[in-house]
Amino acid sequence: MLLEGVENYINSCINDFDSISLERRAELEELSHYIHKKAQASMDIELTFICTHNSRRSHLSQIWAQTAAAWYGIANISCWSGGTEATAFNPRAVKAVQDAGFIVEKKGREENPHYLVTYSQDFEPCICFSKTYDDPFNPQHDYCAIMTCSSADEACPIVHGAGERLAIRYEDPKAFDGTDLEEEKYAERCRQIAREMLYAFSRV
């Protein structure tokens, strides 16, 4: 059982799978294949979503991938995020997560606080804060590195410790910070990531 607001959001995203292009589906199904392969071998599945600053897209991907795993009943999967540098989980992205139905609890008042993101009372919350992808908090070997932005993809020709590397890139809503479109564009990116992670997990 997921939180009611999250379930409602998920159902609206599933109804919109037809909007995903064939080209994009092919990228997402690479992730589906990786998860299926690991699950068939009864292996733990570790996914680390990587973006330059680990502040927006990588966190949204981490949260939605973990939620999608719970929704589709895929066990032994843990989702993480990281960057090529550490900043903070952007408050605009945090708000988009809250608006999608998650319960978000902020821990600490420092520049890079931890956030507990709850999607179900039956599962541990996602722990979200900005860090480099190789931070000790994250898995160190045999994980799947999923590059969510082009700059991180290009800056990391080698992702140390990764057993596999995929690219599922998203446009950065940061471009709209401080504009009248800010909230709309963060909500749009959150919904796209939710829809695509749910699609990928539905194909496992």
Side-chain angles (χ1 to χ4, degrees):
M1 293 288 292
L2 305 189
L3 299 180
E4 182 179 0
V6 174
E7 285 200 2
N8 292 337
Y9 193 97
I10 287 173
N11 282 317
S12 70
C13 290
I14 290 172
N15 290 334
D16 203 24
F17 278 175
D18 287 346
S19 68
I20 303 172
S21 70
L22 293 177
E23 180 182 7
R24 190 64 167 176
R25 290 181 189 215
E27 293 180 3
L28 295 167
E29 286 175 8
E30 290 186 29
L31 175 58
S32 309
H33 177 72
Y34 175 84
I35 296 169
H36 176 76
K37 181 176 63 177
K38 287 279 191 176
Q40 286 290 95
S42 300
M43 299 174 69
D44 290 339
I45 305 161
E46 308 263 34
L47 308 178
T48 301
F49 294 88
I50 301 173
C51 195
T52 305
H53 300 111
N54 190 208
S55 59
R56 296 170 176 82
R57 291 164 286 179
S58 49
H59 277 119
L60 293 174
S61 299
Q62 172 195 357
I63 292 164
W64 277 116
Q66 194 71 63
T67 303
W71 178 258
Y72 287 107
I74 301 171
N76 302 322
I77 186 163
S78 299
C79 300
W80 316 83
S81 66
T84 54
E85 58 184 280
T87 54
F89 189 2
N90 189 274
R92 301 170 185 85
V94 173
K95 183 180 185 303
V97 168
Q98 291 173 311
D99 290 345
F102 295 87
I103 296 173
V104 181
E105 183 180 0
K106 182 179 179 181
K107 295 288 188 179
R109 298 185 178 181
E110 62 274 13
E111 292 183 0
N112 183 17
H114 289 210
Y115 293 87
L116 302 183
V117 180
T118 297
Y119 55 94
S120 169
Q121 300 301 336
D122 300 323
F123 295 93
E124 292 295 318
C126 295
I127 301 174
C128 297
F129 64 100
S130 188
K131 63 202 116 21
T132 56
Y133 77 85
D134 56 355
D135 186 276
F137 184 80
N138 286 348
Q140 300 297 303
H141 59 85
D142 198 30
Y143 60 91
C144 182
I146 303 160
M147 316 306 288
T148 63
C149 74
S150 56
S151 56
D153 201 9
E154 292 160 4
C156 292
I158 298 174
V159 180
H160 298 287
E164 189 150 343
R165 172 182 177 148
L166 305 174
I168 302 175
R169 298 178 178 182
Y170 293 100
E171 293 296 322
D172 193 352
K174 179 182 179 181
F176 297 92
D177 286 5
T179 73
D180 293 341
L181 293 174
E182 177 183 284
E183 186 170 348
E184 175 186 336
K185 291 300 181 180
Y186 274 84
E188 181 182 289
R189 191 63 58 241
C190 181
R191 181 166 291 275
Q192 181 194 5
I193 292 172
R195 180 172 59 244
E196 294 189 350
M197 288 299 109
L198 287 161
Y199 176 81
F201 279 77
S202 78
R203 301 288 292 174
V204 173

